[in-house]
Amino acid sequence: MFLVGLTGGIASGKSSVLQVFQQLGCAVIDVDVIARHVVQPGYPAHRRIVEAFGTEVLLENGDIDRKVLGDLIFNQPDRRQLLNSITHPEIRKEMMKETFKYFLRGYRYVILDIPLLFETKKLLKYMKHTVVVYCDRDTQLARLMKRNNLNREDAEARINSQLPLKDKARMANHVLDNSGEWGLTRRQVILLHAKLERSMEYLPLRLGFLTGLAGLASLLYLLTRYLLPSP
């Protein structure tokens, strides 16, 4: 099995693309969902965040107040790095657990929805393929203004706070152009899924895993035969 990192930008249509992959039966892991999960009360990351940033980042029910925490690290690279050093290892652990579950179920590839895939670069080395959901800037701006009921200035500020989609597209292995009609985008998703399904890149890991299991079975057989007394 291999990993496919999927990303995009605000109002580029990434969520809609993911829905198509899911409708096609693909395994999808939302890294943002995992990030929220690992900071819940009772998890190691929750305890370490409170130790590092104080109880002021907690809501009344004990959950992390994401807005307060975001304000604390805003424009403070050292504090942001501290938070990342707490959460990223836990996110990777959960990500690998979810991936292994899909591996055991026989999936050939898993899509990881990673909004900041190219910005942080932390997970890039694990990805066999990278996919960007792209749209031109004018389309992105118009969609964001309509979707969030924003004026042009506010919408442009939000887009400018992210790495430009054209830069992400240059770094990706695959680009899904969502600038036009949705039917054309959907067809691109279907074709990419078919290409990934035909790929034999999943074989080395699966064969290695099966070989390892066969070796372990042989070792257990030998140990049973030579160490246990004969009847």
Side-chain angles (χ1 to χ4, degrees), residues 38-229:
V38 299
V39 297
Q40 290 179 333
Y43 286 81
H46 181 278
R47 174 180 52 78
R48 292 185 60 198
I49 288 173
V50 175
E51 290 174 353
F53 296 94
T55 56
E56 62 192 88
V57 301
L58 294 179
L59 295 167
E60 290 185 3
N61 64 0
D63 289 344
I64 299 293
D65 189 325
R66 295 170 65 86
K67 183 181 184 307
V68 170
L69 184 58
D71 291 342
L72 284 175
I73 66 173
F74 186 71
N75 285 336
Q76 296 192 59
D78 55 335
R79 304 200 81 180
R80 184 181 296 109
Q81 185 175 358
L82 173 60
L83 178 62
N84 290 342
S85 70
I86 294 172
T87 59
H88 285 180
E90 299 301 320
I91 291 171
R92 284 195 291 270
K93 287 178 187 176
E94 290 299 318
M95 183 189 78
M96 296 312 296
K97 286 180 185 177
E98 292 297 314
T99 300
F100 188 63
K101 290 178 184 177
Y102 284 122
F103 172 81
L104 293 178
R105 291 167 61 183
Y107 284 88
R108 293 192 174 193
Y109 73 93
V110 173
I111 296 174
L112 284 91
D113 175 9
I114 311 174
L116 300 178
L117 177 64
F118 292 114
E119 286 86 344
T120 64
K121 296 182 172 61
K122 294 290 185 181
L123 298 176
L124 266 177
K125 62 183 177 181
Y126 301 106
M127 303 301 131
K128 190 71 175 179
H129 295 265
T130 54
V131 182
V132 164
V133 181
Y134 171 85
C135 66
D136 62 78
R137 184 180 173 85
D138 289 341
T139 300
Q140 185 183 21
L141 182 61
R143 288 174 179 169
L144 181 58
M145 290 171 64
K146 182 179 180 180
R147 189 190 74 183
N148 290 30
N149 193 28
L150 298 173
N151 60 41
R152 187 180 186 88
E153 183 180 357
D154 289 341
E156 286 182 336
R158 295 198 183 189
I159 292 174
N160 291 337
S161 70
Q162 299 183 337
L163 186 67
L165 277 172
K166 61 181 181 180
D167 292 343
K168 293 184 180 184
R170 282 197 292 265
M171 293 185 280
N173 303 124
H174 310 277
V175 178
L176 300 172
D177 191 343
N178 190 34
S179 301
E181 296 181 1
W182 172 243
L184 296 176
T185 303
R186 180 180 174 82
R187 176 170 174 77
Q188 292 175 63
V189 178
I190 293 172
L191 291 174
L192 177 58
H193 168 61
K195 180 178 180 179
L196 294 174
E197 276 288 295
R198 289 195 303 268
S199 170
M200 304 302 287
E201 291 169 311
Y202 73 97
L203 276 178
L205 178 59
R206 193 164 294 277
L207 289 174
F209 181 75
L210 293 175
T211 301
L213 283 180
L216 180 60
S218 298
L219 178 61
L220 290 174
Y221 171 77
L222 291 173
L223 289 174
T224 302
R225 181 173 180 181
Y226 291 104
L227 296 181
L228 293 181

